[in-house]
Amino acid sequence: MAYLVSARVLPRYARRYARVFSWRRLGNFIAVLASMGASWITRRPVVWGRPFMLMVEPTNFCNLKCPLCPSGNGQMLRPRGNMELDDYKRLVDQLGDEVFMMMMWNQGEPYINKCFNQMVRYAHERGIFTFTSTNGHFIRSDEQAREIVESGLDEIIVSLDGVDQETYAKYRVGGQIERVFDGVRRLVAAKQQLGAQTPLINLQFIVMKHNERDLAEAEALAKELKVDKFLIKTAQVYSNDDAEEFLPEDENFSRYQRQDEELVVKGQPGKGCKVLWYSSMVNWNGAVAPCCFDKDVDFAMGQAFNGDRFDEIWRGRAYMDFRQQILTDRNAVAMCRNCSEGYRGMFSHVKEIRG
């Protein structure tokens, strides 16, 4: 994710990240980077340290039916459920001294899990930077907005993808754009009332064929709503039919290009993936996947909630074999051919709205 940070907001970022600093986290960060370098040189997986970023999936239920999302379009094959708070706490207890950021979403709407604010607070109290992404439909009252702010959440993405109900509902099927606007207003007001700097609010706009001409209006809405950042993101598609319907005409807002009649991610590397060294994905039931692009956990690394310690999974045979495969030939794995990690182009462009 390409964050563009101006000089006037650098002090704010420094203050935010100072809270998560510890010598132990720094040592782990250095160990991970060193092992990554050793792996690239030797073309063999060398793993030192633990992931310093962690994705956790609070739930894979969602209230919307977005056509490019496996959770919303019904194509997800794995079971549905909500992460239990006790399981989550045990995971944080294992990794919390090394992890500095938790990205708390995957294939679902996080606030469907009724324990979500408690999860955020637990990580916040361990000095972990917390980040989530929502469709904005569950900030239905001033009280709910206050609870989000008081949880200690550091940053939140609210998906927009339209400027009126017609363009919004084309992709956010079953959603109501006014609920999104109301939720953002409540969150901004709660921050002001509590004198809070966080969570930073990102209004995200995925550029697609039906909404690409609305970008300027969407940015104007972000300013009107007084959010902190406006995110412009490219869409992920899974088929030529998806591409025909959803990819924008302006190629600057697409992560794909045509190559021998095949749709491919622009300039993607043929070997290696840094994510396999610095991050991991723990789904709602403890199933560990290499990353969020493994929607159905086709590459199961282990079970974090069934007695396995995460270290055993992180350095286990399944993980090491997968790292070796990606170091040798990333293009041999279909999931990785449709991944944005390492490609040259725009994945998400961030505009600072408020300093």
Side-chain angles (χ1 to χ4, degrees):
M1 187 177 291
Y3 278 94
L4 302 181
V5 183
S6 63
R8 66 191 175 92
V9 299
L10 280 173
R12 183 179 68 185
Y13 276 78
R15 289 194 298 272
R16 290 167 59 212
Y17 285 104
R19 182 178 61 81
V20 308
F21 175 81
S22 73
W23 291 109
R24 185 163 176 175
R25 286 183 178 137
L26 178 61
N28 181 68
F29 180 81
I30 293 170
V32 170
L33 293 187
S35 68
M36 193 187 302
S39 300
W40 259 243
I41 292 169
T42 64
R43 288 296 165 187
R44 294 288 185 271
V46 177
V47 177
W48 299 322
R50 290 165 150 187
F52 54 75
M53 292 179 62
L54 192 67
M55 286 198 76
V56 295
E57 179 183 71
T59 183
N60 61 352
F61 286 115
C62 192
N63 55 309
L64 302 185
K65 305 294 181 185
C66 304
L68 296 179
C69 173
S71 181
N73 64 21
Q75 294 179 2
M76 181 176 288
L77 301 177
R78 59 188 171 95
R80 305 269 183 165
N82 295 310
M83 185 176 285
E84 296 288 339
L85 182 59
D86 287 344
D87 287 333
Y88 168 83
K89 286 183 175 180
R90 283 192 291 270
L91 179 69
V92 174
D93 289 344
Q94 282 190 60
L95 299 176
D97 290 338
E98 284 82 21
V99 169
F100 73 80
M101 177 183 284
M102 289 185 65
M103 303 176 74
M104 304 180 70
W105 78 92
N106 186 25
Q107 298 299 307
E109 167 51 49
Y111 287 97
I112 285 177
N113 188 321
K114 297 185 184 302
C115 296
F116 184 66
N117 285 326
Q118 293 172 264
M119 292 176 169
V120 171
R121 182 175 289 107
Y122 195 76
H124 175 80
E125 290 172 351
R126 294 292 296 266
I128 301 171
F129 185 94
T130 52
F131 198 173
T132 196
S133 180
T134 177
N135 59 46
H137 282 65
F138 289 87
I139 315 174
R140 297 173 175 171
S141 68
D142 295 342
E143 182 183 359
Q144 287 175 325
R146 287 179 67 92
E147 288 173 353
I148 291 172
V149 176
E150 291 173 340
S151 72
L153 182 68
D154 287 289
E155 197 154 352
I156 186 169
I157 294 171
V158 182
S159 299
L160 184 62
D161 311 332
V163 295
D164 53 36
Q165 181 59 27
E166 182 180 358
T167 55
Y168 176 78
K170 170 75 175 177
Y171 184 69
R172 297 287 168 181
V173 179
Q176 298 292 323
I177 197 168
E178 287 300 328
R179 282 194 178 180
V180 180
F181 294 154
D182 288 345
V184 171
R185 291 187 187 105
R186 287 192 178 99
L187 200 53
V188 169
K191 286 175 61 178
Q192 291 173 343
Q193 290 164 7
L194 293 168
Q197 297 297 312
T198 58
L200 291 186
I201 304 168
N202 303 266
L203 202 61
Q204 179 174 275
F205 193 90
I206 300 177
V207 184
M208 292 171 274
K209 183 177 290 186
H210 63 274
N211 68 12
E212 63 182 307
R213 293 172 181 82
D214 296 329
L215 263 174
E217 187 175 347
E219 185 174 348
L221 277 169
K223 293 177 181 177
E224 179 186 325
L225 291 167
K226 300 180 181 179
V227 301
D228 297 284
K229 290 184 270 188
F230 179 60
L231 275 59
I232 304 169
K233 186 179 178 183
T234 56
Q236 182 183 25
V237 297
Y238 300 89
S239 68
N240 285 325
D241 288 342
D242 288 343
E244 179 63 28
E245 183 174 1
F246 290 103
L247 288 187
E249 294 177 4
D250 188 339
E251 293 187 358
N252 291 315
F253 296 114
S254 174
R255 66 180 76 167
Y256 299 96
Q257 64 184 9
R258 288 283 176 185
Q259 190 175 88
D260 299 327
E261 301 303 316
E262 184 181 357
L263 202 65
V264 297
V265 175
K266 296 174 182 175
Q268 194 183 57
K271 297 178 181 179
C273 173
K274 296 184 290 294
V275 171
L276 297 176
W277 275 259
Y278 71 74
S279 180
S280 190
M281 175 78 242
V282 181
N283 289 287
W284 72 268
N285 58 355
V288 179
C291 67
C292 63
F293 283 88
D294 189 0
K295 315 293 186 183
D296 270 319
V297 196
D298 294 319
F299 300 92
M301 298 295 140
Q303 248 296 339
F305 298 159
N306 286 355
D308 293 342
R309 289 194 59 79
F310 190 86
D311 286 346
E312 296 169 357
I313 299 170
W314 185 240
R315 294 178 175 81
R317 179 50 51 197
Y319 235 131
M320 297 301 277
D321 286 350
F322 189 74
R323 290 184 181 105
Q324 181 64 72
Q325 184 175 15
I326 300 305
L327 280 169
T328 303
D329 184 8
R330 171 170 161 165
N331 290 326
V333 181
M335 171 186 81
C336 300
R337 292 197 300 272
N338 195 16
C339 168
S340 59
E341 197 282 326
Y343 97 104
R344 296 186 297 275
M346 194 194 81
F347 171 72
S348 184
H349 176 73
V350 181
K351 291 189 175 183
E352 296 281 343
I353 300 297
R354 302 180 69 200

